[in-house]
Amino acid sequence: MSAMDYDNDELIFLEDDGSTDEHVVLGKDWNVLIVDDDEEIHTVTRLALADLVVNDRKLNFIHAYSAKQAKELLHEYGSTIAIILLDVVMETDDAGFEVVKYIREDMNLLEPRIILRTGQPGYAPEEQVIKLYDINDYKTKTELTRAKLLTTIISSLRSYQQIVTISQNRTGLEKIIASSANLFEEHSVKAFCEGVVTQISSLIGLDSEGLLCARAGSLIDREDEDVYVLGAAGEYAKFINKPIQELNSAEIAENIARCLRLKKHIFEHNFSVLFISRAGFEAAVFVRQTHEINELDKHLLEVFLSSISVGYENVNLFHELRNAAFRDWLTRLPNRNEFINMLDKPHIFACEDCCVALIDVNHFSDINDGLGQEVGNDLLRAISDRFLSSFDDSVKKGRIGADVFGLIGPEAVVNPESINELFSSTFVVEDHTLPVNVTIGFCRLDKKRNIGIEILKRTNIALNRAKKNLTDNYEFYAKDIEDQTTWRLDMIRRLRSDFAARKLELWFQPQVDLLNEQVVGMEALLRWPDGNGGFISPAVFVPLAEYSGLIVDIGEWVLEEACSRLQKLKELGYGHLRVAVNISIPQFRDRLFVEKVKLALSTAECDPSLLELEITESVVMDEPQIVIDALRALKEHGVQIAIDDFGTGFSSMSYLQQLPLDRLKVDRSFVKDVKPGASAVLAETIVTLGNKLGLLTIAEGVEKREQASYMIKLGCDEAQGFLYAKPMPFAELLAFLESQK
Ligand code: C2E
Ligand code: CA
Ligand code: CA
């Protein structure tokens, strides 16, 4: 339905600005279409405009929550919609612009006035610490719209009314609308102003000779009150952005000044000066003509000017919205949205060997909590400033999260060394001198992959890996990391459920006296059935269990199971055999660990000296004091302690000497090579060291007879390996022990 076939039940007399005196046929209320995916914005807008009455008519709100729905409603209401308040970012970053195009091009719907808005805010300071990237801050949006909403709505309604009026009478309409629609597409002030001049000239059938001038203070970032040429066509084009004096035309300068002073149009026989006034912006358009402008043309110009001033406001609004949607409020750097947009098209900055970095400020929340948010904000600004002053424009900068910055640029610049260099000196904020440490994730861009959000995700994966990296503060993204991450998460999930379903098994590998080959004990080793008759190696899943913390519960079960097997062995006449159990670092961090070991022993009524705990050197080094304290307590209880994989870690002897050890397990890599050589020398050293410390030594991974002989020669006491027996289920162990009798 268009305005023209709308019910002819009410005639409205326009008298607001004297520019028209036609009777116009319109509906009872002004239809205002609100398009926004945010329910809150609908409510807020409705509340803000609820009492507005323009020309004795109230507003009737129509609500759409997506671009798709907006299109449907547009078909239903057509040009009876006076104003469309349109959210820019909905289903997609530019869903709103798509709707604009659809209205003007596909539907050829020219009457409704369009006001763009967006719901992408900066971060509210108090929400900064919340590490959410996309927070819809309604206040910000309300602030942005509220101040402008009323004036914009009123002037847009006026403009809509004029257009509808004209559309019933004038043939020039299409041209006007097309002109302002064209202008609407222009997103820069310069292009807009040029467009205005061109459109005016063509409207009144003139050559494109004219210029638009405005006072600097009102528009461009200059502080003087001079009048500048903002847009021009024809011979004046070269004066754009110059002060009007440079035209060397007293006639133009004087008349423009007069127009701006009188705030009125001036029509002379060979030129006109048209006055544009809008929300503090005042401009004059000087047009040269060969004949005096007739009344009809004057009228057309009037309408056009009123409609372009809305267009101008749109241009301005568009800029503001773009800033709100794509700039970080604190540092003015591009925000996450804009950073993703930049990543979508890295080729634009012609970056060879382009690299993306995410830089996370370590312990930023401590600064915020300890020194206050103001200092926190200042620090973020100082960091942003350092990026800006250290890296030129070839490096794009952004603030991606509360304390996460982003860089895109050539790897020659965007690399661990130069970024770390940047943070090697302290930051001075107010009275504080703050050293700042960062963690950095990198992702190299290749020519093919340029989906911004994907690249950001990858860089973030690298950043998370970097946080776990113990030696460096950075990590580069590699595809396998991502696959690995997915795979790891899946394995952990399965391990958790299989453990809960009691599917894990504990197998045992005999340990023998090297000299007489009598079984002296066994090592308990976890087995995880893969469901196809095979087993997933503990070398694979134990690290995952450690990573996920699952090892604490699994380890507790291993201890219980081992102790109950010890009890069974005693019953069967093997009361002299010990069982060795592997213990991981997260178990030591469990405050109840010592108690749990004691409980497992007492529940199964086991002699504590038959339980041996195996710990690797890295476990000791990880948290020496916790481990030393726990082991001392357990040693006092009678439990035995062995150092596993000895020789592969880099233990500090001072720690080892503090441990209440019973046994050194010589790692299999030293046992393997019995011919004279480096590893054999090490095997000898380890055994000698063990002997000197008064410890027993056991050789791991003995597979061959000559390895056993060699270890005997070195003075090693015990052995474990395939030569004697492989790890086996408990039932098989019993049969094995039986056969050895
Ligand atoms: P580990 O403590 O060094 O265990 C010895 C590993 O060497 C076992 O591998 C065993 O099957 C293997 N092995 C024994 N004799 C030979 C031999 O002659 N030749 C060769 N090539 N290998 C031999 P497994 O059972 O796959 O266990 C791997 C690792 O998983 C263990 O290394 C241990 O670090 C960890 N693990 C196993 N069970 C547990 C557990 O209950 N708790 C914890 N925290 N870790 C466990
Ligand atoms: Ca072990
Ligand atoms: Ca070992």
Side-chain angles (χ1 to χ4, degrees), residues 269-558:
H269 72 279
N270 61 347
F271 68 87
S272 307
V273 192
L274 307 164
F275 180 65
I276 302 178
S277 165
R278 187 86 196 166
F281 164 70
E282 291 185 347
V285 187
F286 182 96
V287 197
R288 177 94 50 205
Q289 73 225 14
T290 47
H291 57 277
E292 204 161 332
I293 296 179
N294 64 33
E295 284 308 303
L296 180 65
D297 283 345
K298 277 184 193 169
H299 190 74
L300 275 174
L301 279 173
E302 196 73 52
V303 173
F304 173 72
L305 290 175
S306 111
S307 114
I308 60 156
S309 53
V310 172
Y312 167 73
E313 201 154 84
N314 281 335
V315 169
N316 232 5
L317 193 59
F318 182 90
H319 273 278
E320 255 177 68
L321 292 176
R322 235 195 119 71
N323 279 348
F326 298 110
R327 290 272 148 184
D328 166 43
W329 68 276
L330 181 70
T331 58
R332 308 308 298 159
L333 292 178
N335 67 7
R336 183 171 180 270
N337 281 340
E338 183 65 352
F339 198 74
I340 292 170
N341 286 343
M342 293 194 290
L343 285 175
D344 276 333
K345 35 192 193 253
H347 54 275
I348 287 191
F349 21 97
C351 194
E352 277 293 309
D353 301 320
C354 215
C355 197
V356 185
L358 282 183
I359 298 140
D360 189 310
V361 180
N362 297 346
H363 311 299
F364 178 71
S365 53
D366 290 351
I367 294 172
N368 241 5
D369 297 345
L371 302 176
Q373 227 164 62
E374 262 319 298
V375 175
N377 286 352
D378 287 350
L379 176 63
L380 292 172
R381 268 188 227 111
I383 293 173
S384 156
D385 289 346
R386 194 168 290 184
F387 281 132
L388 290 169
S389 60
S390 310
F391 296 136
D392 65 14
D393 282 347
S394 69
V395 177
K396 304 288 160 200
K397 300 109 188 151
R399 179 163 169 242
I400 312 308
D403 54 0
V404 181
F405 291 87
L407 299 175
I408 313 167
E411 198 178 330
V413 193
V414 178
N415 61 44
E417 294 73 32
S418 44
I419 294 174
N420 277 325
E421 170 66 29
L422 221 100
F423 287 93
S424 62
S425 57
T426 54
F427 289 80
V428 177
V429 177
E430 290 177 15
D431 303 337
H432 310 281
T433 301
L434 302 172
V436 172
N437 291 314
V438 292
T439 309
I440 320 163
F442 289 96
C443 179
R444 294 188 176 96
L445 293 180
D446 59 30
K447 302 261 155 15
K448 286 160 284 166
R449 289 202 297 248
N450 54 0
I451 301 160
I453 186 86
E454 273 300 308
I455 296 168
L456 189 65
K457 198 178 115 197
R458 292 193 177 116
T459 320
N460 204 36
I461 287 172
L463 176 61
N464 284 328
R465 286 271 296 216
K467 287 179 185 167
K468 300 205 180 76
N469 189 328
L470 297 175
T471 45
D472 295 315
N473 69 335
Y474 63 89
E475 195 85 56
F476 276 84
Y477 171 82
K479 170 129 177 45
D480 61 291
I481 295 181
E482 191 177 357
D483 298 346
Q484 228 183 344
T485 309
T486 324
W487 174 86
R488 282 154 64 103
L489 291 177
D490 184 53
M491 287 288 275
I492 291 167
R493 197 174 42 74
R494 281 169 47 206
L495 178 61
R496 195 184 297 280
S497 83
D498 278 7
F499 172 61
R502 310 196 130 265
K503 288 188 183 159
L504 294 193
E505 297 171 20
L506 197 59
W507 287 20
F508 296 88
Q509 183 178 32
Q511 297 173 327
V512 301
D513 181 307
L514 254 176
L515 288 175
N516 61 23
E517 296 191 11
Q518 289 292 301
V519 177
V520 291
M522 47 257 146
E523 179 178 4
L525 294 160
L526 272 167
R527 290 295 177 265
W528 180 15
D530 66 5
N532 295 317
F535 294 91
I536 298 160
S537 167
V540 171
F541 74 82
V542 166
L544 296 176
E546 289 174 345
Y547 172 79
S548 62
L550 208 51
I551 197 67
V552 174
D553 289 343
I554 294 178
E556 190 178 343
W557 172 79
V558 168

Side-chain angles (χ1 to χ4, degrees), residues 28-31 50-54 56-60:
K28 280 194 174 72
D29 291 338
W30 301 110
N31 283 330
D51 299 320
L52 184 64
V53 176
V54 178
D56 287 325
R57 299 181 192 186
K58 295 169 83 174
L59 306 189
N60 171 46

Side-chain angles (χ1 to χ4, degrees), residues 116-142:
L116 285 173
R117 304 198 295 178
T118 187
Q120 301 293 328
Y123 301 92
E126 64 272 19
E127 281 165 3
Q128 244 184 71
V129 280
I130 302 170
K131 289 202 171 180
L132 278 176
Y133 291 137
D134 290 315
I135 310 165
N136 272 16
D137 188 332
Y138 306 126
K139 275 174 285 173
T140 305
K141 183 155 183 173
T142 315

